[in-house]
Amino acid sequence: MDPFDSNISDRANLPRNMIENSMFEEEPDVVDLAKDSTAFPTFPALDPDEVAYEPRSSRLLVRGLGENDMDEDEEDCESSARLLGMSFMNRSSANRPSSSPYARQPPPRSCSRPSARTTVVCVLFLVIVASMTMVLYFLPGCTFTKTGCRKANQTTPLVPVNPASSSGEPFPWNGYRLPQSVHPLSYEVTLNPNLEDMTFTGYTVINMSVQHNTKRIVLHSAKLNITGATFKLGEGDSKAVTVLEYLPRQQIAVQFSEDLKAGQSCVLTLEYSANLSHTYDGFYNSSYTDKDGNKRVLAATQFEPLYARKAFPCFDEPAFKATFLIKISRKTDFMTLSNMPLAKSTPLANGLMQDEFEKTSVNMSTYLVAFIVANFTSMTKNVSNTLVSVYSVPEKKEHTDYALETCSKLLEFYNDFFEINYPLKKLDLVAIPDFLAGAMENWGLITFRETSLLVGQNSSPLEKQVVASVVAHELAHQWFGNLVTMSWWNDLWLNEGFATYMQYMSLQAVMPKLDIGNLFLAVRFRALDKDSLNSSHAVSTEVNKPEQVEEMFDSVSYEKGASILLMLNASLPGEQQFRKGIIEYLKQFSGSNTVTNNLWNSLTQVEVSAQHQNVSEMMSSWTSQKGFPLVTVSRKGDEVTLTQEHFLLTSDDATHTSSLWNIPVTYVTDNCSLAPECRQVFNLKTKSGTLKLAESVKWLKLNYRNTGFYIVHYGNEGWATLIEALNSNLSVFTHEDRASLIHNIFALSRLGRVSLPSPQPVALRIYILHQFRSLMDNQTWTEEESVSKQELRAALLGTACSLGEENCLNQAKDLFKQYLQSNESTKIPGDLQQVVFTVAGQSDEDWENLLDLYVHATYDAEKRSMLRGLASTQDARRIAWILKAGLQGNIIQTQELPLVISTVCNGFAGYLFVWDFIQENWDRLIEKFPLGSFAIQSIVKSVTSQFSTQAHLDQARVSKPEVLLYLGGQGVLSETGPVRCIFAQGG
Ligand code: BES
Ligand code: ZN
C-alpha cells in the first residue's frame, strides 16, 4: 500500500481520486456502422440530420487482451470483441435495460387487428429482427476463443438501419445522438412524487423550434411509462399523437405524415408515470435515520451525465440548452428545492401543496436541472446579491457554518476573477445523506455528499480542506460547465479539467493556509502515472455510447485536464494572458456550447505581450493524443540537447509511438534557481532541440516547480550534478522541484531507464523503518495545527502501525480505549482517527466495539474513518460480512461499497474474497452503479490492482469475461508479467 497515495484519495473523498487507472484503450478501432446500410431496408427522405450524424465510429470497451502478441486469427477475434463488446456486457446484465444498440431487443408487441397482408409483413419483419438479434447475440460468444471465431465479415452491418420500436413499428431514427432538426426552447415540468410508494407522475410541456424540414421529433426518455401525448404546431390545435419508443437508446419519437417546416414552432406535451429510481441517478429516493431513530425519506436528483431523461422526457444532450420551469407537489411537512427560487406555493385539492419555481433566467443543459423533496433546514447569507444557503438534515445544521463561509468567500472571488457575476439570485448547497458522487454542480442547487459539505465542531483542517476543495470545484462549474458548456461529452475536460484547475487556483488565493498547492502537486504526479499506461486516452476523446460517456469522468479529464491548464498558464509570456483569455472565452460563449479549440482560440487572441504564442498549435498536441513526453537531457560543453519520446509503460517495445508534443520546457540553473524570474523557457516542438548554456553552469533543472506535464531524464551525469547540488544545500530547489526530481527518478526506474536498489519485501520493512524510524518516533499524538504536519504525521504513523511497530500500535490502542471508555468524549485528533480506527479494526477484541461505534455515529467523516477501520480486518468471516452488508445497504450504505472494497483489497488476502464477491454479484453491482461509472471503475481497479500473475489472468478469463472487459481497460491485465503489474498500479 502506498500510504501517501491512499491518504490523498481518502482525504479528498473524491471518486475522481479513487480511480487508479484509466479505463480506456486508445486503438484506432473505428467501426463505420453505417458503411453497409444497403443490406437493410432504408427509410425514405433523409433530412440533414441523417447526413450529419450517420455514420458514427465507435470506440468500444474491449481492451487489453494482449493486442501486442496476437496472431491474425486472434486479431479477428479481438476486433469482433471490440465491435461487440458492449452487447456482450449488456447481455449479461439482466436487470439493466440495455443501452446498447447491439443488445437484444424486447419482443415486439403484436400488430393490432391485423389484416392477412399486415400479418405476413409483421411475421416477416419479426423473423428478420429475430434473426438479426440472434446473430448479434451469439457473435460475442466467440470473442475470447481462438477456435470457433469466425473471420470478421467486412460486409456484415452491425446495426439495422431501421430499428424497431417497442410497439413493433419502425423507429424513425437510427443514431445514438439526437437529430438536429428540432431544438427545445423551454420546458415546463410538473412532477408529483409519492414518497410512500416511491412512484411519481409527470407532465412535461416542451416548446420547440424546427431547424430543418422534418417528419419526426426524437428525444430521450428512460423508464417513463408515457400515458398520453399531444402535439401543437404553431397556432394550430393540440392533437393526440402516438409516441414510439426505442428502448436500447432510451429514445422516443413522434412521427408526422407532413413535414414540419424550418422556422415553425411547436409544442409537445407528455404525460407519464414512473418509479422513483432506487439507484443513485435520475429522480431517486433516499432515506436516513434521524436522531430519534425514525426513518426519514426524501427524493433528490442526479442527472449528469445521462439521467434527466429518467425524470422527464427531454433532449438530453448538453448542447440542447433551454429554459426550465419546474413545479413539484409535496406533503405539507416537506419542502422542495430546485435550481431557481420558489415563485409560489398553491394548495391542491388532494391536500398536497404544489411548489412552483421561477422559470430559469438562463438557458441551460438538461444535466444541470435538479430538484429535491425533503425535510432539510438551512443557514443563509447574502453575498453580492446572491442568497447563499447551506441545507442539511436538521440535526446537522450546526455543521454547515464552514461551507457557508467558504462558499461566500469563493463566490466573491469567482465573480471578481471571471469579471462575470454569478447569474442567479440564489445558490443552495445541499448535503444529501445518500449520494454517490462527491458533489454535483446543478445550477443554483449544488448537491453534495455529507462528507463533502459538512464540517463538525472538532473536525481537522484536513476535513476542511476536503470541503473547501469540493465547494471551490462545484462553484467554478457555475461558470465552466454551466454558463459555458462543452458541446458533447468528448470534451468533458472543458468542464472537469477547468473546474479542477480553478479549485486549486481559487483556494490558493482565498485560503492560502489550507496549503492546497501540495495537493495539486500530488494530483499532477498521479495524473502522469495514470497517463503513462497504454490504456490511457486523449483528453478529447470520441464517445458514442453511454458507458463511454460515464468513463469520461476519470483522471484524464480531471487531473490531466487541470495539469495542462497549469502548464499553459505557467508558460504564457504575460502574467495575465491566461486570465484575460478565459474571461474572453466565457464572455464570448456565455450561454452556449464550445469545443476545445474555441478555448485555445480565445487564449491565442488575447495579446498581452509582444511574444505572441499560438496556444492552439501548442495545446492541441496535449489534448488530441494520449500520454506525455519523456524529455532526455544530454549536455556537451555549452550545448544541451533535449530529446522527446512518448513515456509509455508497456511490456512491449513495439508499441512505442511516434507521438510528438509541443513542450514549453522550463528550466533553471545553479545561477538562479528559486525565484520565478530565474525560469527560462525553451519550446521543444520537434523530436530534439538544442539550447546553449554557459560552460560555467554546473547543473540545470528542467520543469521549474513541476508545472509542465512531462518527465525528465538527466542522464547519469546530469543526475549526479543535481544530487551533488542537493547534498550541499537542500534548499537550492523549491520544494516542488525536489518533489519532481523524486517522482521522476521513480518513474524512470519503472520504465527501466535507471536502476534503483529494490529491497526484497522482508528487507523493505527494515529499510523503511531504518529510513523513517526517528521521524516516526518524533510524532506526537495530540492536536496539531499545521495541515502539512498533519499530513506527514498521518502518513508516518499509518505506515508505522501497518508495519507492526509496537510503539505505534500501543499508542493507537490506548487512544481507542480512552475514546471508548470516555463515551467518545476524549477526542482523537482528526488526522489520527484513521490510524487509530484501523488498528482497532484489525484487533480481534476491538472490531465489534468499532462496529458498534460505527452504527451509532452520525458525523459522516468520522463514520467513514470507522468504516475503513472495519474493512481493514484480516478476519475472513468479517470480510465476507462487510462486503455483503455494503451491498445490502442497511447497516452500511451502498454508496460506501467502493470504499469498503478498496480497503478490503489493500489487506493481505482481501482481494481474493473481493474477486469472488464481484463475480458472484456482478449483475447486482451494475444495477447499483452504472457500467463505466467511477464506482465500477474503482471497484474493478481495487480488485485487479493486486493481480500479478498469468494464473490470475487465466482465471479471470475463464470465470467472468464480463468483468474481464473492464479489467483489460484498467491497464493491469493488459500488461504481462508481475513487474508490469506493479507499474500499472502506479506503485
Ligand atoms: N460533475 C461532477 C459530478 C459527476 C461526477 C457527475 C461523475 C457525473 C459523474 C462534479 O463536478 C464533480 O466533479 N464532482 C467530484 C468532486 C470534485 C470536487 C472533484 C466528484 O463527485 O467526485
Ligand atoms: Zn466537476
mmCIF file with all atom_site columns, all heavy atoms in Angstrom, residues 14-16 302 304 437-441 470 473-474 477 496 553 558 934, ligand 1:
data_model
loop_
_atom_site.group_PDB
_atom_site.id
_atom_site.type_symbol
_atom_site.label_atom_id
_atom_site.label_alt_id
_atom_site.label_comp_id
_atom_site.label_asym_id
_atom_site.label_entity_id
_atom_site.label_seq_id
_atom_site.pdbx_PDB_ins_code
_atom_site.Cartn_x
_atom_site.Cartn_y
_atom_site.Cartn_z
_atom_site.occupancy
_atom_site.B_iso_or_equiv
_atom_site.pdbx_formal_charge
_atom_site.auth_seq_id
_atom_site.auth_comp_id
_atom_site.auth_asym_id
_atom_site.auth_atom_id
_atom_site.pdbx_PDB_model_num
ATOM   1   N N   . LEU A 1 14  ? -12.853 11.882 -3.032  1.00 0.00 ? 14  LEU A N   1
ATOM   2   C CA  . LEU A 1 14  ? -13.407 12.220 -4.332  1.00 0.00 ? 14  LEU A CA  1
ATOM   3   C C   . LEU A 1 14  ? -13.311 11.022 -5.235  1.00 0.00 ? 14  LEU A C   1
ATOM   4   O O   . LEU A 1 14  ? -12.240 10.476 -5.417  1.00 0.00 ? 14  LEU A O   1
ATOM   5   C CB  . LEU A 1 14  ? -12.600 13.366 -4.962  1.00 0.00 ? 14  LEU A CB  1
ATOM   6   C CG  . LEU A 1 14  ? -12.411 14.548 -4.044  1.00 0.00 ? 14  LEU A CG  1
ATOM   7   C CD1 . LEU A 1 14  ? -11.508 15.568 -4.689  1.00 0.00 ? 14  LEU A CD1 1
ATOM   8   C CD2 . LEU A 1 14  ? -13.743 15.170 -3.687  1.00 0.00 ? 14  LEU A CD2 1
ATOM   9   N N   . PRO A 1 15  ? -14.460 10.629 -5.760  1.00 0.00 ? 15  PRO A N   1
ATOM   10  C CA  . PRO A 1 15  ? -14.397 9.491  -6.666  1.00 0.00 ? 15  PRO A CA  1
ATOM   11  C C   . PRO A 1 15  ? -13.322 9.649  -7.738  1.00 0.00 ? 15  PRO A C   1
ATOM   12  O O   . PRO A 1 15  ? -12.686 8.704  -8.103  1.00 0.00 ? 15  PRO A O   1
ATOM   13  C CB  . PRO A 1 15  ? -15.795 9.454  -7.272  1.00 0.00 ? 15  PRO A CB  1
ATOM   14  C CG  . PRO A 1 15  ? -16.657 10.052 -6.213  1.00 0.00 ? 15  PRO A CG  1
ATOM   15  C CD  . PRO A 1 15  ? -15.791 11.092 -5.559  1.00 0.00 ? 15  PRO A CD  1
ATOM   16  N N   . ARG A 1 16  ? -13.120 10.906 -8.227  1.00 0.00 ? 16  ARG A N   1
ATOM   17  C CA  . ARG A 1 16  ? -12.083 11.074 -9.245  1.00 0.00 ? 16  ARG A CA  1
ATOM   18  C C   . ARG A 1 16  ? -10.784 10.488 -8.749  1.00 0.00 ? 16  ARG A C   1
ATOM   19  O O   . ARG A 1 16  ? -10.030 9.899  -9.458  1.00 0.00 ? 16  ARG A O   1
ATOM   20  C CB  . ARG A 1 16  ? -11.799 12.555 -9.528  1.00 0.00 ? 16  ARG A CB  1
ATOM   21  C CG  . ARG A 1 16  ? -12.926 13.410 -10.016 1.00 0.00 ? 16  ARG A CG  1
ATOM   22  C CD  . ARG A 1 16  ? -13.386 13.026 -11.362 1.00 0.00 ? 16  ARG A CD  1
ATOM   23  N NE  . ARG A 1 16  ? -14.027 11.749 -11.350 1.00 0.00 ? 16  ARG A NE  1
ATOM   24  C CZ  . ARG A 1 16  ? -15.202 11.546 -10.790 1.00 0.00 ? 16  ARG A CZ  1
ATOM   25  N NH1 . ARG A 1 16  ? -15.841 12.477 -10.148 1.00 0.00 ? 16  ARG A NH1 1
ATOM   26  N NH2 . ARG A 1 16  ? -15.752 10.354 -10.841 1.00 0.00 ? 16  ARG A NH2 1
ATOM   27  N N   . GLN A 1 302 ? -29.974 13.278 -9.606  1.00 0.00 ? 302 GLN A N   1
ATOM   28  C CA  . GLN A 1 302 ? -28.606 13.293 -10.128 1.00 0.00 ? 302 GLN A CA  1
ATOM   29  C C   . GLN A 1 302 ? -28.751 13.017 -11.621 1.00 0.00 ? 302 GLN A C   1
ATOM   30  O O   . GLN A 1 302 ? -29.037 11.897 -12.026 1.00 0.00 ? 302 GLN A O   1
ATOM   31  C CB  . GLN A 1 302 ? -27.740 12.224 -9.453  1.00 0.00 ? 302 GLN A CB  1
ATOM   32  C CG  . GLN A 1 302 ? -26.388 11.996 -10.118 1.00 0.00 ? 302 GLN A CG  1
ATOM   33  C CD  . GLN A 1 302 ? -25.510 13.241 -10.159 1.00 0.00 ? 302 GLN A CD  1
ATOM   34  O OE1 . GLN A 1 302 ? -25.438 13.991 -9.183  1.00 0.00 ? 302 GLN A OE1 1
ATOM   35  N NE2 . GLN A 1 302 ? -24.871 13.507 -11.285 1.00 0.00 ? 302 GLN A NE2 1
ATOM   36  N N   . GLU A 1 304 ? -26.497 14.271 -14.233 1.00 0.00 ? 304 GLU A N   1
ATOM   37  C CA  . GLU A 1 304 ? -25.309 14.156 -15.075 1.00 0.00 ? 304 GLU A CA  1
ATOM   38  C C   . GLU A 1 304 ? -24.798 12.717 -15.055 1.00 0.00 ? 304 GLU A C   1
ATOM   39  O O   . GLU A 1 304 ? -24.734 12.139 -13.975 1.00 0.00 ? 304 GLU A O   1
ATOM   40  C CB  . GLU A 1 304 ? -24.196 15.095 -14.597 1.00 0.00 ? 304 GLU A CB  1
ATOM   41  C CG  . GLU A 1 304 ? -23.088 15.191 -15.636 1.00 0.00 ? 304 GLU A CG  1
ATOM   42  C CD  . GLU A 1 304 ? -21.919 16.084 -15.216 1.00 0.00 ? 304 GLU A CD  1
ATOM   43  O OE1 . GLU A 1 304 ? -21.754 16.341 -14.010 1.00 0.00 ? 304 GLU A OE1 1
ATOM   44  O OE2 . GLU A 1 304 ? -21.165 16.485 -16.099 1.00 0.00 ? 304 GLU A OE2 1
ATOM   45  N N   . ALA A 1 437 ? -21.869 10.451 -5.926  1.00 0.00 ? 437 ALA A N   1
ATOM   46  C CA  . ALA A 1 437 ? -20.704 11.257 -6.314  1.00 0.00 ? 437 ALA A CA  1
ATOM   47  C C   . ALA A 1 437 ? -20.236 12.066 -5.095  1.00 0.00 ? 437 ALA A C   1
ATOM   48  O O   . ALA A 1 437 ? -20.829 12.002 -4.028  1.00 0.00 ? 437 ALA A O   1
ATOM   49  C CB  . ALA A 1 437 ? -21.089 12.190 -7.449  1.00 0.00 ? 437 ALA A CB  1
ATOM   50  N N   . GLY A 1 438 ? -19.155 12.829 -5.276  1.00 0.00 ? 438 GLY A N   1
ATOM   51  C CA  . GLY A 1 438 ? -18.722 13.720 -4.199  1.00 0.00 ? 438 GLY A CA  1
ATOM   52  C C   . GLY A 1 438 ? -19.648 14.921 -4.143  1.00 0.00 ? 438 GLY A C   1
ATOM   53  O O   . GLY A 1 438 ? -20.056 15.365 -3.076  1.00 0.00 ? 438 GLY A O   1
ATOM   54  N N   . ALA A 1 439 ? -19.982 15.448 -5.306  1.00 0.00 ? 439 ALA A N   1
ATOM   55  C CA  . ALA A 1 439 ? -20.872 16.605 -5.395  1.00 0.00 ? 439 ALA A CA  1
ATOM   56  C C   . ALA A 1 439 ? -21.286 16.800 -6.844  1.00 0.00 ? 439 ALA A C   1
ATOM   57  O O   . ALA A 1 439 ? -20.661 16.257 -7.749  1.00 0.00 ? 439 ALA A O   1
ATOM   58  C CB  . ALA A 1 439 ? -20.153 17.856 -4.898  1.00 0.00 ? 439 ALA A CB  1
ATOM   59  N N   . MET A 1 440 ? -22.341 17.584 -7.048  1.00 0.00 ? 440 MET A N   1
ATOM   60  C CA  . MET A 1 440 ? -22.830 17.818 -8.405  1.00 0.00 ? 440 MET A CA  1
ATOM   61  C C   . MET A 1 440 ? -23.241 19.275 -8.551  1.00 0.00 ? 440 MET A C   1
ATOM   62  O O   . MET A 1 440 ? -23.999 19.810 -7.736  1.00 0.00 ? 440 MET A O   1
ATOM   63  C CB  . MET A 1 440 ? -24.015 16.865 -8.673  1.00 0.00 ? 440 MET A CB  1
ATOM   64  C CG  . MET A 1 440 ? -24.718 17.099 -9.981  1.00 0.00 ? 440 MET A CG  1
ATOM   65  S SD  . MET A 1 440 ? -23.633 16.748 -11.399 1.00 0.00 ? 440 MET A SD  1
ATOM   66  C CE  . MET A 1 440 ? -24.264 17.934 -12.569 1.00 0.00 ? 440 MET A CE  1
ATOM   67  N N   . GLU A 1 441 ? -22.773 19.891 -9.637  1.00 0.00 ? 441 GLU A N   1
ATOM   68  C CA  . GLU A 1 441 ? -22.850 21.347 -9.792  1.00 0.00 ? 441 GLU A CA  1
ATOM   69  C C   . GLU A 1 441 ? -24.165 21.886 -10.326 1.00 0.00 ? 441 GLU A C   1
ATOM   70  O O   . GLU A 1 441 ? -24.178 22.972 -10.921 1.00 0.00 ? 441 GLU A O   1
ATOM   71  C CB  . GLU A 1 441 ? -21.724 21.793 -10.729 1.00 0.00 ? 441 GLU A CB  1
ATOM   72  C CG  . GLU A 1 441 ? -21.883 21.368 -12.208 1.00 0.00 ? 441 GLU A CG  1
ATOM   73  C CD  . GLU A 1 441 ? -21.215 20.055 -12.574 1.00 0.00 ? 441 GLU A CD  1
ATOM   74  O OE1 . GLU A 1 441 ? -21.009 19.231 -11.674 1.00 0.00 ? 441 GLU A OE1 1
ATOM   75  O OE2 . GLU A 1 441 ? -20.916 19.860 -13.763 1.00 0.00 ? 441 GLU A OE2 1
ATOM   76  N N   . VAL A 1 470 ? -14.098 20.801 -2.561  1.00 0.00 ? 470 VAL A N   1
ATOM   77  C CA  . VAL A 1 470 ? -15.287 20.398 -3.311  1.00 0.00 ? 470 VAL A CA  1
ATOM   78  C C   . VAL A 1 470 ? -16.148 21.637 -3.618  1.00 0.00 ? 470 VAL A C   1
ATOM   79  O O   . VAL A 1 470 ? -16.641 21.812 -4.736  1.00 0.00 ? 470 VAL A O   1
ATOM   80  C CB  . VAL A 1 470 ? -16.089 19.309 -2.558  1.00 0.00 ? 470 VAL A CB  1
ATOM   81  C CG1 . VAL A 1 470 ? -17.268 18.860 -3.393  1.00 0.00 ? 470 VAL A CG1 1
ATOM   82  C CG2 . VAL A 1 470 ? -15.208 18.114 -2.226  1.00 0.00 ? 470 VAL A CG2 1
ATOM   83  N N   . HIS A 1 473 ? -14.583 23.613 -6.367  1.00 0.00 ? 473 HIS A N   1
ATOM   84  C CA  . HIS A 1 473 ? -14.734 22.928 -7.653  1.00 0.00 ? 473 HIS A CA  1
ATOM   85  C C   . HIS A 1 473 ? -16.148 23.135 -8.221  1.00 0.00 ? 473 HIS A C   1
ATOM   86  O O   . HIS A 1 473 ? -16.314 23.551 -9.370  1.00 0.00 ? 473 HIS A O   1
ATOM   87  C CB  . HIS A 1 473 ? -14.443 21.434 -7.444  1.00 0.00 ? 473 HIS A CB  1
ATOM   88  C CG  . HIS A 1 473 ? -14.610 20.590 -8.661  1.00 0.00 ? 473 HIS A CG  1
ATOM   89  N ND1 . HIS A 1 473 ? -13.556 20.137 -9.417  1.00 0.00 ? 473 HIS A ND1 1
ATOM   90  C CD2 . HIS A 1 473 ? -15.719 20.101 -9.265  1.00 0.00 ? 473 HIS A CD2 1
ATOM   91  C CE1 . HIS A 1 473 ? -14.001 19.421 -10.426 1.00 0.00 ? 473 HIS A CE1 1
ATOM   92  N NE2 . HIS A 1 473 ? -15.325 19.375 -10.360 1.00 0.00 ? 473 HIS A NE2 1
ATOM   93  N N   . GLU A 1 474 ? -17.138 22.883 -7.403  1.00 0.00 ? 474 GLU A N   1
ATOM   94  C CA  . GLU A 1 474 ? -18.521 22.971 -7.907  1.00 0.00 ? 474 GLU A CA  1
ATOM   95  C C   . GLU A 1 474 ? -18.907 24.418 -8.225  1.00 0.00 ? 474 GLU A C   1
ATOM   96  O O   . GLU A 1 474 ? -19.672 24.677 -9.151  1.00 0.00 ? 474 GLU A O   1
ATOM   97  C CB  . GLU A 1 474 ? -19.511 22.361 -6.906  1.00 0.00 ? 474 GLU A CB  1
ATOM   98  C CG  . GLU A 1 474 ? -19.218 20.913 -6.520  1.00 0.00 ? 474 GLU A CG  1
ATOM   99  C CD  . GLU A 1 474 ? -19.042 19.976 -7.711  1.00 0.00 ? 474 GLU A CD  1
ATOM   100 O OE1 . GLU A 1 474 ? -19.591 20.261 -8.786  1.00 0.00 ? 474 GLU A OE1 1
ATOM   101 O OE2 . GLU A 1 474 ? -18.329 18.964 -7.561  1.00 0.00 ? 474 GLU A OE2 1
ATOM   102 N N   . HIS A 1 477 ? -17.679 25.401 -11.559 1.00 0.00 ? 477 HIS A N   1
ATOM   103 C CA  . HIS A 1 477 ? -18.545 24.878 -12.623 1.00 0.00 ? 477 HIS A CA  1
ATOM   104 C C   . HIS A 1 477 ? -19.680 25.850 -12.964 1.00 0.00 ? 477 HIS A C   1
ATOM   105 O O   . HIS A 1 477 ? -20.229 25.774 -14.064 1.00 0.00 ? 477 HIS A O   1
ATOM   106 C CB  . HIS A 1 477 ? -19.211 23.579 -12.179 1.00 0.00 ? 477 HIS A CB  1
ATOM   107 C CG  . HIS A 1 477 ? -18.408 22.350 -12.471 1.00 0.00 ? 477 HIS A CG  1
ATOM   108 N ND1 . HIS A 1 477 ? -17.850 22.086 -13.696 1.00 0.00 ? 477 HIS A ND1 1
ATOM   109 C CD2 . HIS A 1 477 ? -18.115 21.277 -11.695 1.00 0.00 ? 477 HIS A CD2 1
ATOM   110 C CE1 . HIS A 1 477 ? -17.236 20.906 -13.654 1.00 0.00 ? 477 HIS A CE1 1
ATOM   111 N NE2 . HIS A 1 477 ? -17.386 20.395 -12.448 1.00 0.00 ? 477 HIS A NE2 1
ATOM   112 N N   . GLU A 1 496 ? -14.601 19.543 -16.463 1.00 0.00 ? 496 GLU A N   1
ATOM   113 C CA  . GLU A 1 496 ? -13.993 18.975 -15.260 1.00 0.00 ? 496 GLU A CA  1
ATOM   114 C C   . GLU A 1 496 ? -12.531 19.372 -15.077 1.00 0.00 ? 496 GLU A C   1
ATOM   115 O O   . GLU A 1 496 ? -12.092 19.608 -13.955 1.00 0.00 ? 496 GLU A O   1
ATOM   116 C CB  . GLU A 1 496 ? -14.139 17.452 -15.262 1.00 0.00 ? 496 GLU A CB  1
ATOM   117 C CG  . GLU A 1 496 ? -15.595 16.972 -15.240 1.00 0.00 ? 496 GLU A CG  1
ATOM   118 C CD  . GLU A 1 496 ? -16.392 17.474 -14.038 1.00 0.00 ? 496 GLU A CD  1
ATOM   119 O OE1 . GLU A 1 496 ? -15.795 18.033 -13.092 1.00 0.00 ? 496 GLU A OE1 1
ATOM   120 O OE2 . GLU A 1 496 ? -17.634 17.337 -14.051 1.00 0.00 ? 496 GLU A OE2 1
ATOM   121 N N   . PHE A 1 553 ? -15.495 10.485 -17.012 1.00 0.00 ? 553 PHE A N   1
ATOM   122 C CA  . PHE A 1 553 ? -15.267 11.097 -15.697 1.00 0.00 ? 553 PHE A CA  1
ATOM   123 C C   . PHE A 1 553 ? -14.093 10.379 -15.035 1.00 0.00 ? 553 PHE A C   1
ATOM   124 O O   . PHE A 1 553 ? -14.262 9.548  -14.157 1.00 0.00 ? 553 PHE A O   1
ATOM   125 C CB  . PHE A 1 553 ? -16.536 11.000 -14.838 1.00 0.00 ? 553 PHE A CB  1
ATOM   126 C CG  . PHE A 1 553 ? -17.660 11.830 -15.379 1.00 0.00 ? 553 PHE A CG  1
ATOM   127 C CD1 . PHE A 1 553 ? -18.459 11.365 -16.409 1.00 0.00 ? 553 PHE A CD1 1
ATOM   128 C CD2 . PHE A 1 553 ? -17.893 13.107 -14.888 1.00 0.00 ? 553 PHE A CD2 1
ATOM   129 C CE1 . PHE A 1 553 ? -19.475 12.138 -16.935 1.00 0.00 ? 553 PHE A CE1 1
ATOM   130 C CE2 . PHE A 1 553 ? -18.908 13.895 -15.408 1.00 0.00 ? 553 PHE A CE2 1
ATOM   131 C CZ  . PHE A 1 553 ? -19.701 13.415 -16.438 1.00 0.00 ? 553 PHE A CZ  1
ATOM   132 N N   . TYR A 1 558 ? -10.117 15.067 -15.497 1.00 0.00 ? 558 TYR A N   1
ATOM   133 C CA  . TYR A 1 558 ? -9.982  15.932 -14.321 1.00 0.00 ? 558 TYR A CA  1
ATOM   134 C C   . TYR A 1 558 ? -8.534  16.369 -14.107 1.00 0.00 ? 558 TYR A C   1
ATOM   135 O O   . TYR A 1 558 ? -8.220  17.552 -14.113 1.00 0.00 ? 558 TYR A O   1
ATOM   136 C CB  . TYR A 1 558 ? -10.441 15.175 -13.065 1.00 0.00 ? 558 TYR A CB  1
ATOM   137 C CG  . TYR A 1 558 ? -11.929 15.104 -12.863 1.00 0.00 ? 558 TYR A CG  1
ATOM   138 C CD1 . TYR A 1 558 ? -12.724 14.305 -13.682 1.00 0.00 ? 558 TYR A CD1 1
ATOM   139 C CD2 . TYR A 1 558 ? -12.560 15.815 -11.855 1.00 0.00 ? 558 TYR A CD2 1
ATOM   140 C CE1 . TYR A 1 558 ? -14.092 14.215 -13.494 1.00 0.00 ? 558 TYR A CE1 1
ATOM   141 C CE2 . TYR A 1 558 ? -13.930 15.736 -11.653 1.00 0.00 ? 558 TYR A CE2 1
ATOM   142 C CZ  . TYR A 1 558 ? -14.692 14.937 -12.471 1.00 0.00 ? 558 TYR A CZ  1
ATOM   143 O OH  . TYR A 1 558 ? -16.047 14.862 -12.277 1.00 0.00 ? 558 TYR A OH  1
ATOM   144 N N   . PHE A 1 934 ? -17.607 5.884  -12.237 1.00 0.00 ? 934 PHE A N   1
ATOM   145 C CA  . PHE A 1 934 ? -16.388 5.847  -11.431 1.00 0.00 ? 934 PHE A CA  1
ATOM   146 C C   . PHE A 1 934 ? -16.471 4.804  -10.340 1.00 0.00 ? 934 PHE A C   1
ATOM   147 O O   . PHE A 1 934 ? -15.475 4.249  -9.920  1.00 0.00 ? 934 PHE A O   1
ATOM   148 C CB  . PHE A 1 934 ? -16.051 7.221  -10.861 1.00 0.00 ? 934 PHE A CB  1
ATOM   149 C CG  . PHE A 1 934 ? -17.137 7.833  -10.039 1.00 0.00 ? 934 PHE A CG  1
ATOM   150 C CD1 . PHE A 1 934 ? -17.387 7.386  -8.754  1.00 0.00 ? 934 PHE A CD1 1
ATOM   151 C CD2 . PHE A 1 934 ? -17.915 8.855  -10.540 1.00 0.00 ? 934 PHE A CD2 1
ATOM   152 C CE1 . PHE A 1 934 ? -18.396 7.943  -7.993  1.00 0.00 ? 934 PHE A CE1 1
ATOM   153 C CE2 . PHE A 1 934 ? -18.922 9.417  -9.785  1.00 0.00 ? 934 PHE A CE2 1
ATOM   154 C CZ  . PHE A 1 934 ? -19.172 8.959  -8.522  1.00 0.00 ? 934 PHE A CZ  1
HETATM 155 N N1  . BES B 2 .   ? -19.856 16.999 -12.389 1.00 0.00 ? 1   BES B N1  1
HETATM 156 C C1  . BES B 2 .   ? -19.299 16.232 -11.349 1.00 0.00 ? 1   BES B C1  1
HETATM 157 C C2  . BES B 2 .   ? -20.259 15.225 -10.752 1.00 0.00 ? 1   BES B C2  1
HETATM 158 C C3  . BES B 2 .   ? -20.333 13.933 -11.513 1.00 0.00 ? 1   BES B C3  1
HETATM 159 C C4  . BES B 2 .   ? -19.333 13.013 -11.406 1.00 0.00 ? 1   BES B C4  1
HETATM 160 C C5  . BES B 2 .   ? -21.401 13.674 -12.329 1.00 0.00 ? 1   BES B C5  1
HETATM 161 C C6  . BES B 2 .   ? -19.408 11.835 -12.125 1.00 0.00 ? 1   BES B C6  1
HETATM 162 C C7  . BES B 2 .   ? -21.465 12.507 -13.054 1.00 0.00 ? 1   BES B C7  1
HETATM 163 C C8  . BES B 2 .   ? -20.475 11.571 -12.941 1.00 0.00 ? 1   BES B C8  1
HETATM 164 C C9  . BES B 2 .   ? -18.834 17.148 -10.237 1.00 0.00 ? 1   BES B C9  1
HETATM 165 O O1  . BES B 2 .   ? -18.496 18.425 -10.599 1.00 0.00 ? 1   BES B O1  1
HETATM 166 C C10 . BES B 2 .   ? -17.578 16.557 -9.723  1.00 0.00 ? 1   BES B C10 1
HETATM 167 O O2  . BES B 2 .   ? -16.610 16.596 -10.412 1.00 0.00 ? 1   BES B O2  1
HETATM 168 N N2  . BES B 2 .   ? -17.628 16.052 -8.529  1.00 0.00 ? 1   BES B N2  1
HETATM 169 C C11 . BES B 2 .   ? -16.487 15.404 -7.960  1.00 0.00 ? 1   BES B C11 1
HETATM 170 C C12 . BES B 2 .   ? -15.958 16.189 -6.810  1.00 0.00 ? 1   BES B C12 1
HETATM 171 C C13 . BES B 2 .   ? -14.940 17.194 -7.250  1.00 0.00 ? 1   BES B C13 1
HETATM 172 C C14 . BES B 2 .   ? -14.509 18.050 -6.101  1.00 0.00 ? 1   BES B C14 1
HETATM 173 C C15 . BES B 2 .   ? -13.739 16.571 -7.900  1.00 0.00 ? 1   BES B C15 1
HETATM 174 C C16 . BES B 2 .   ? -16.928 14.026 -7.560  1.00 0.00 ? 1   BES B C16 1
HETATM 175 O O3  . BES B 2 .   ? -18.106 13.759 -7.460  1.00 0.00 ? 1   BES B O3  1
HETATM 176 O O4  . BES B 2 .   ? -16.041 13.225 -7.373  1.00 0.00 ? 1   BES B O4  1
#
